[in-house]
Amino acid sequence: MELTFKPVIEKPKGQPVIIAGPCSAESEEQVVNTAKELATHGNVDLFRSGIWKPRTRPGSFEGVGTVGLNWLKTVKEEVGLKVTTEVANRQHVFEALKYGIDVLWLGARTTVNPFSVQEVADAIKGVDIPVLIKNPINPDLKLWMGAIERILKAGVTRVGVIHRGFSYHGQSEYRNVPRWQIPIELKRHFPEVQIICDNSHICGRRDTLYAVAQKAMDLSFDGIMTEVHPTPDEAWSDAAQQITPATFKELVNALQIRVTTSENPEYKNTIDHLRQEIDEIDNELLNLLGRRMSLAENIGEYKKRNNIAILQSDRWSEILETAKTVGKTKGLSEDFVAVILKAIHQESINHQERIMVSE
Ligand code: PEP
Ligand code: MN
């Protein structure tokens, strides 16, 4: 099935889509005042606010519910900003449509569940409202793609995605680790889809919001979604990551927007040249890897003849440690060297194994 995407928000080239607003709607005053302040910036495209909050544990603030839709309606009619909120089931969709919400979004806890995504898809069938789909909590590209396909199949033409990072059980400076490779891979599958970076849920704190938003711009993302609250420390949810409208304005103004290409002949010449060199190196790397695997097969033959086990863990630890040390002198991080070496080692074992089991 050929999938086509229309933009959720149309912006001139080089201008990011800006989505901002509180994590949760708390009161009419909080919602409308935040929207009024954001509207004075002139570059906010969409006002966000959670009405139904999917909290990890019961007992935390679970959103004001339907009454908050009236406040978003006021934002739309009196402040003049388009509005978006999270929906997770049929009831949410019906209510949001009834109150004229402009754009719906699926949260990370909904994208993980195909039953919920399908329920939302069935509820919007026949209504061509734009939908933004957050990545699932776990780093599963297929689950994300599946949710996108379900919504497109419902006849929605304006589908975009939000990258909000992935949960991680180790130590990290992020609340949700970005794993940039996953949204980049998504873009490779769906080149036209608009990708918005939710720096708030990636960072979980204020001091890194700008760096993550800038990184998204450097990676040619289409925009940002940031949580903004008039008094962030007093927010009823996600207080640590929310910023005031004034701080948000500074953040947006400081963003450097890169162009994706240039018509300048000198630039084109240089970049073509550099790319050619990169292609040659990639080719060399593949040739070398091919040679390395042939050697692994020879070793496999030899081990088989002498009835020796494939895995020699001392030798493997030694290879890894030496590679990390050498890698460091070439400016390669330990993590990178470990990932590459582990992949090569696994492929090598697979080759040897094939030899071992062959007649
Ligand atoms: C939110 O945007 O407030 C939210 C609940 O986000 P996520 O689904 O990314 O956790
Ligand atoms: Mn939030």
Side-chain angles (χ1 to χ4, degrees):
M1 168 178 153
E2 176 70 24
L3 301 178
T4 51
F5 296 82
K6 285 200 217 145
V8 167
I9 303 281
E10 303 248 15
K11 284 294 274 225
K13 230 179 154 46
Q15 279 184 34
V17 171
I18 306 289
I19 307 174
C23 175
S24 305
E26 297 165 6
S27 68
E28 178 159 28
E29 195 192 7
Q30 169 245 13
V31 167
V32 175
N33 286 350
T34 312
K36 278 186 181 156
E37 268 210 68
L38 285 171
T40 63
H41 298 181
N43 55 14
V44 175
D45 300 294
L46 197 53
F47 180 80
R48 67 147 282 157
S49 184
I51 297 294
W52 301 283
K53 301 301 296 177
R55 305 314 297 273
T56 304
R57 300 186 65 193
S60 342
F61 170 58
E62 293 189 322
V64 291
T66 309
V67 64
L69 293 171
N70 281 308
W71 310 337
L72 288 180
K73 199 160 177 251
T74 306
V75 168
K76 184 172 168 167
E77 289 169 357
E78 290 173 25
V79 186
L81 285 177
K82 286 189 173 180
V83 292
T84 181
T85 200
E86 172 174 352
V87 291
N89 61 34
R90 179 180 301 115
Q91 190 60 27
H92 295 165
V93 173
F94 292 157
E95 300 264 330
L97 292 175
K98 195 162 87 192
Y99 283 83
I101 299 299
D102 298 285
V103 174
L104 304 178
W105 97 69
L106 291 189
R109 291 160 194 77
T110 303
T111 310
V112 285
N113 184 348
F115 289 133
S116 303
V117 176
Q118 195 56 51
E119 180 176 327
V120 169
D122 291 341
I124 21 183
K125 212 172 215 133
V127 187
D128 194 6
I129 184 166
V131 181
L132 289 163
I133 303 171
K134 288 203 176 198
N135 65 260
I137 289 182
N138 52 324
D140 186 336
L141 176 63
K142 294 232 173 79
L143 211 43
W144 201 1
M145 289 171 65
I148 296 167
E149 286 158 356
R150 283 179 197 278
I151 300 296
L152 282 169
K153 275 186 155 181
V156 176
T157 57
R158 288 165 293 170
V159 172
V161 300
I162 300 173
H163 170 225
R164 49 79 78 196
F166 302 89
S167 68
Y168 178 66
H169 297 290
Q171 281 281 7
S172 169
E173 63 178 292
Y174 299 106
R175 177 177 176 194
N176 291 291
V177 295
R179 296 182 191 273
W180 296 100
Q181 213 50 48
I182 293 179
I184 290 171
E185 188 59 12
L186 183 80
K187 189 87 178 167
R188 197 172 66 76
H189 285 278
F190 302 140
E192 301 149 44
V193 77
Q194 274 186 326
I195 304 197
I196 308 296
C197 171
D198 173 347
N199 53 343
S200 302
H201 290 90
I202 290 177
C203 297
R205 51 200 256 188
R206 298 174 194 142
D207 59 337
T208 49
L209 287 172
Y210 170 75
V212 167
Q214 182 58 54
K215 168 110 186 190
M217 295 300 102
D218 294 344
L219 292 172
S220 300
F221 276 46
D222 299 280
I224 55 169
M225 182 197 245
T226 304
E227 289 184 342
V228 173
H229 192 284
T231 48
D233 286 332
E234 290 160 27
W236 298 358
S237 58
D238 290 351
Q241 70 198 28
Q242 301 207 60
I243 51 176
T244 62
T247 308
F248 179 66
K249 185 178 184 177
E250 283 170 25
L251 184 153
V252 172
N253 289 343
L255 286 178
Q256 295 267 354
I257 311 303
R258 324 266 183 215
V259 289
T260 49
T261 187
S262 158
E263 289 310 309
N264 176 338
E266 191 187 306
Y267 165 82
K268 282 190 142 184
N269 215 350
T270 311
I271 203 86
D272 278 355
H273 198 79
L274 291 171
R275 284 190 174 146
Q276 212 172 322
E277 271 190 65
I278 290 221
D279 290 349
E280 279 165 21
I281 290 179
D282 285 351
N283 208 18
E284 253 175 70
L285 284 173
L286 292 174
N287 279 333
L288 284 173
L289 287 173
R291 274 176 52 202
R292 194 192 189 285
M293 296 311 150
S294 309
L295 277 178
E297 286 173 13
N298 291 348
I299 290 183
E301 295 272 5
Y302 197 64
K303 282 184 185 161
K304 187 177 176 180
R305 243 181 286 140
N306 291 283
N307 202 25
I308 308 274
I310 292 180
L311 184 63
Q312 309 284 321
S313 58
D314 289 353
R315 160 115 177 106
W316 164 232
S317 307
E318 193 188 305
I319 293 181
L320 194 56
E321 285 319 306
T322 313
K324 282 184 187 168
T325 315
V326 176
K328 215 180 235 169
T329 67
K330 316 266 177 222
L332 305 175
S333 72
E334 276 196 14
D335 282 354
F336 173 70
V337 172
V339 167
I340 295 277
L341 259 280
K342 279 180 191 163
I344 293 177
H345 187 238
Q346 184 57 53
E347 180 74 4
S348 210
I349 288 176
N350 296 347
H351 278 254
Q352 291 191 37
E353 223 153 37
R354 235 176 282 142
I355 300 289
M356 285 283 192
V357 299
S358 65
E359 291 300 315

